[in-house]
Amino acid sequence: MQNQKLISSRSLILMAVLLAALALFPSVASRYYIYLAALMLVTGLLASSLNMVLGFGGMYQFNHAVFYGVGAYAAALLTVRGGVSPWWGYLVGPLAAALLSLIMGIICVRLSKLYFGMLQISLGSLVWAVVFRWYSFTGGDDGLHGVPVPRLISSGEGAYYFVLIVSVLCLALMYLIVNSPFGRVFMSIRDNPERAEAIGVNVRLHQLIGLVIAGFFGGVAGTLFVTVEGTVFPDMLFWTLSLEIIIMCLLGGWFTFLGPMLGGAMVVALRAVVGTYTDYWTMVLGIILMLLIFFLPEGVLGFFLARLGRGRTAREEN
Amino acid sequence: MDTASHITLAALGQQLLVGLSRTTILFIVSSGLSLILGVLRIPNVSHGSLYMIGAFVTYSVATFIGGQTGFWVALAVAPVAVGLLALAVERGIFCHLYEREHLMLLLFTFSLMLVLGDLVKMTWGSDYRSLSAPPMMQGSFSLGGMPFPRYNLFLLIMGPLVALGLWALTNKTKIGKIARAAAVDREMVAAMGINVSWVFAFVFCLGCLMAGLGGALVAPTQNITQGMDHAIIMEAFLIVIIGGLGNMWGALLGAAIFGITDSIGILVWPQFAIVFPYVAVTIVLVFRPKGLLKSTW
């Protein structure tokens, strides 16, 4: 891997075209579609942040939504209750999520797989329960509505461009992290923790750092959600959303870097399209997921990358 | 917390009994979950949906027949119906997935939860339903000056009965012993010429039947709503975890911790009562991450 280029020129061109298309999108699309595209970016970023630990670290993070929600709530509460400029939220939201991730990580990281996931869920439920009930501070089950957004980015188009720029920056950062020596070690832990331990890797520490990174970017996604929707509510922290995020990773391809982005966009699009025809959209999602588990366990992007035989999937089959 | 000073001993006792009847429901549901986890090693997220279906079926059967017999018939029919539904799902789809990773199995049961949730909405609509307790168990009797619902007493009797029955089934019958052996070493059991696939089907069916029974028993005590599945499954999972995966007595202990902290929490600080069980669970897990009792894994 050492002398391989970080990004092949072919995919670089593809990225540039995609980015140009995304940048020009608001000039051709209507308000609703701009909003939807922004939501897809936010959701995709959220799924990508989970995949940092799920796909690349092999850690069963079952309650990732908590970091999304805490990031969003921290940003919203800072403005609504603290009365400071909303711009601060973009700094405080992700940091609050990262801090929570650190605390929960310290408690959970000594456990493996299912036990890890279960303890994460229980700690996450605790946070959810507090948010859900603390009416005077968090707004309880009603959440907070009309959260102020900086004027510069408060319009639909402004929010879209802001979300686009931040998501692309975050994705680039995550890509660098995954391809850094840290990322390589992280993946080696996923593939064989005992061997990694044997060659002198501090497994727990790497996992903890991975969790904090994932929590941080989950928090970024949360603040972007506030930018797009101007609202926060406790369902953002609920465990069903966490499992939905896992579905997104799986749907797009959890061993590919951009798979979760695609999966997140697909779930948002599905909900928007199916939701206009029927009230039973979750059933459609459930059936799609069942089919996916049977026929495409590597996800959509993973399937195509394997088919094309090029592009590195994160998990090298041996 | 000045509210605490208003708590009388009688109120505390009453609330403790309420907590214990809640424990019964939680135990019945989570023992089924624990059974499936212990033997099949599947975190069955759809367990809560089956509990909800159990409650809705109980409602429908009990109101269709009506009166005293309606409830008793429903109490027998609902768990069996849920068990058969689970058996169909297991034989139809699920049994082809056992070799997959835990995460895939978990996501499969989650998708099943999504589908079942919408099926319930299609069948029973979005309105909540309520079912009154059977006539002989309506009303309450006085307990040290505090009223205590008769139906809750019935629940308090049912809890130990179910625990005993489940214990006898897994420890005294042949199939129970085979299931326990399969939990420890499924290859060995298969090598002895036992059809492990059907043992798994039996365990899955039995575990889900418990979810249905829990739903049937809870029906007269609360509103039967969409969303019952979400609420119970998280609690059941945490109970199983703090008790020790796959350990039935652990499920009982965990259910008691959950039920009692919840009911005492209502007395102490109503607004945050929902938080208390989660705090208790977190404290347990920080010190005993693998649960209080020995896991069968």
Side-chain angles (χ1 to χ4, degrees):
Chain A
M1 290 295 159
Q2 230 62 5
N3 42 21
Q4 198 172 347
K5 270 194 292 181
L6 204 55
I7 305 172
S8 71
S9 51
R10 190 195 201 92
S11 38
L12 207 61
I13 297 169
L14 212 68
M15 290 291 165
V17 172
L18 190 66
L19 270 182
L22 281 171
L24 291 174
F25 185 69
S27 52
V28 293
S30 67
R31 253 182 93 87
Y32 176 67
Y33 286 103
I34 297 171
Y35 158 78
L36 213 58
L39 203 59
M40 282 180 182
L41 286 168
V42 172
T43 314
L45 181 65
L46 174 63
S48 300
S49 69
L50 168 65
N51 208 44
M52 290 293 287
V53 283
L54 183 74
F56 294 101
M59 302 173 79
Y60 288 178
Q61 172 104 305
F62 283 167
N63 78 336
H64 197 63
V66 166
F67 306 111
Y68 179 59
V70 164
Y73 265 97
L77 286 169
L78 194 71
T79 325
V80 175
R81 306 268 181 239
V84 296
S85 157
W87 287 111
W88 282 102
Y90 297 104
L91 185 68
V92 173
L95 287 180
L99 181 66
L100 180 70
S101 190
L102 178 70
I103 296 167
M104 285 171 54
I106 289 171
I107 299 171
C108 300
V109 84
R110 61 216 156 104
L111 299 174
S112 60
K113 296 284 174 185
L114 269 184
Y115 281 106
F116 170 86
M118 293 297 174
L119 186 50
Q120 282 267 327
I121 281 196
S122 106
L123 290 168
S125 303
L126 181 59
V127 177
W128 168 80
V130 171
V131 170
F132 189 73
R133 280 297 172 155
W134 199 352
Y135 289 96
S136 58
F137 188 57
T138 62
D141 54 356
D142 296 328
L144 299 169
H145 300 279
V147 178
V149 172
R151 187 168 303 151
L152 182 67
I153 55 170
S154 61
S155 71
E157 249 177 73
Y160 172 81
Y161 279 116
F162 184 72
V163 167
L164 180 62
I165 292 166
V166 174
S167 313
V168 170
L169 276 177
C170 287
L171 282 175
L173 263 175
M174 282 194 259
Y175 190 78
L176 288 177
I177 292 170
V178 168
N179 287 287
S180 70
F182 169 80
R184 295 289 161 201
V185 173
F186 204 48
M187 280 186 256
S188 77
I189 294 171
R190 171 196 66 196
D191 292 336
N192 194 335
E194 287 81 16
R195 197 184 291 172
E197 186 97 61
I199 57 170
V201 171
N202 188 338
V203 173
R204 301 267 176 274
L205 183 68
H206 277 79
Q207 288 183 328
L208 190 60
I209 295 170
L211 285 172
V212 172
I213 293 170
F216 179 85
F217 286 113
V220 173
T223 60
L224 293 182
F225 180 83
V226 178
T227 312
V228 176
E229 298 274 1
T231 170
V232 288
F233 41 86
D235 272 5
M236 289 179 76
L237 294 87
F238 202 52
W239 63 273
T240 51
L241 178 63
S242 298
L243 290 190
E244 252 181 64
I245 308 168
I246 298 180
I247 294 183
M248 293 169 198
C249 293
L250 194 76
L251 190 63
W254 53 316
F255 297 126
T256 61
F257 181 74
L258 285 177
M261 204 70 209
L262 179 70
M266 281 164 77
V267 169
V268 172
L270 260 177
R271 175 177 286 159
V273 174
V274 178
T276 56
Y277 293 107
T278 165
D279 286 340
Y280 305 112
W281 111 269
T282 50
M283 177 184 276
V284 177
L285 181 68
I287 292 169
I288 289 175
L289 181 64
M290 283 182 183
L291 294 174
L292 189 77
I293 290 168
F294 266 97
F295 300 110
L296 283 184
E298 297 277 309
V300 174
L301 195 62
F303 174 75
F304 282 114
L305 287 180
R307 260 293 169 81
L308 294 169
R310 63 173 93 91
R312 305 195 303 266
T313 56
R315 179 145 81 171
E316 241 83 278
E317 301 291 348
N318 36 11
Chain B
M1 285 197 288
D2 53 291
T3 42
S5 59
H6 302 299
I7 299 168
T8 62
L9 204 63
L12 194 70
Q14 184 202 28
Q15 207 54 25
L16 207 63
L17 283 177
V18 169
L20 283 175
S21 31
R22 178 89 189 126
T23 298
T24 299
I25 303 286
L26 290 171
F27 164 68
I28 290 172
V29 175
S30 41
S31 65
L33 186 69
S34 181
L35 197 65
I36 294 172
L37 254 168
V39 179
L40 281 71
R41 317 214 165 159
I42 298 164
N44 180 19
V45 185
S46 65
H47 203 70
S49 316
L50 296 166
Y51 161 84
M52 176 169 71
I53 291 173
F56 271 104
V57 170
T58 305
Y59 166 81
S60 288
V61 173
T63 46
F64 181 73
I65 299 174
Q68 195 87 266
T69 38
F71 178 78
W72 297 115
V73 171
L75 193 58
V77 167
V80 174
V82 169
L84 290 177
L85 173 70
L87 189 65
V89 171
E90 202 275 343
R91 286 290 95 183
I93 334 176
F94 211 44
C95 63
H96 303 295
L97 289 170
Y98 287 138
E99 298 307 311
R100 300 287 184 85
E101 288 170 82
H102 288 320
L103 186 64
M104 290 293 182
L105 295 171
L106 181 131
L107 286 177
F108 181 83
T109 59
F110 178 59
S111 54
L112 193 62
M113 182 191 104
L114 296 177
V115 172
L116 290 176
D118 269 357
L119 277 178
V120 167
K121 213 198 284 179
M122 279 177 179
T123 316
W124 282 281
S126 310
D127 300 335
Y128 72 80
R129 308 293 171 93
S130 55
L131 181 70
S132 45
M136 69 181 274
M137 268 179 256
Q138 278 168 4
S140 52
F141 56 90
S142 172
L143 207 83
M146 299 293 259
F148 188 71
R150 278 168 198 270
Y151 187 77
N152 283 25
L153 189 72
F154 168 66
L155 288 180
L156 288 181
I157 298 165
M158 281 302 281
L161 279 181
V162 171
L164 209 64
L166 208 57
W167 175 81
L169 191 65
T170 49
N171 287 273
K172 296 291 168 196
T173 65
K174 193 176 169 204
I175 185 133
K177 286 176 183 170
I178 293 173
R180 284 197 304 139
V184 179
D185 190 341
R186 61 180 84 172
E187 281 81 15
M188 181 61 83
V189 173
M192 289 170 75
I194 290 158
N195 190 342
V196 179
S197 174
W198 276 101
V199 175
F200 280 10
F202 168 76
V203 170
F204 192 75
C205 178
L206 179 66
C208 294
L209 193 140
M210 299 297 285
L213 180 63
L217 284 173
V218 88
T221 67
Q222 65 173 58
N223 286 332
I224 305 162
T225 61
Q226 302 279 325
M228 276 174 84
D229 51 347
H230 289 178
I232 192 89
I233 186 66
M234 181 52 49
E235 294 174 349
F237 261 124
L238 295 177
I239 285 165
V240 168
I241 295 293
I242 55 173
L245 288 184
N247 188 320
M248 196 191 73
W249 301 114
L252 185 58
L253 186 62
I257 291 174
F258 223 92
I260 291 170
T261 46
D262 191 44
S263 62
I264 299 300
I266 289 171
L267 214 56
V268 178
W269 201 3
Q271 191 193 347
F272 282 101
I274 184 179
V275 179
F276 281 68
Y278 292 114
V279 173
V281 168
T282 304
I283 292 170
V284 169
L285 288 181
V286 166
F287 292 103
R288 296 285 304 248
K290 301 219 162 170
L292 291 165
L293 301 185
K294 196 170 165 293
S295 161
T296 58
W297 280 39

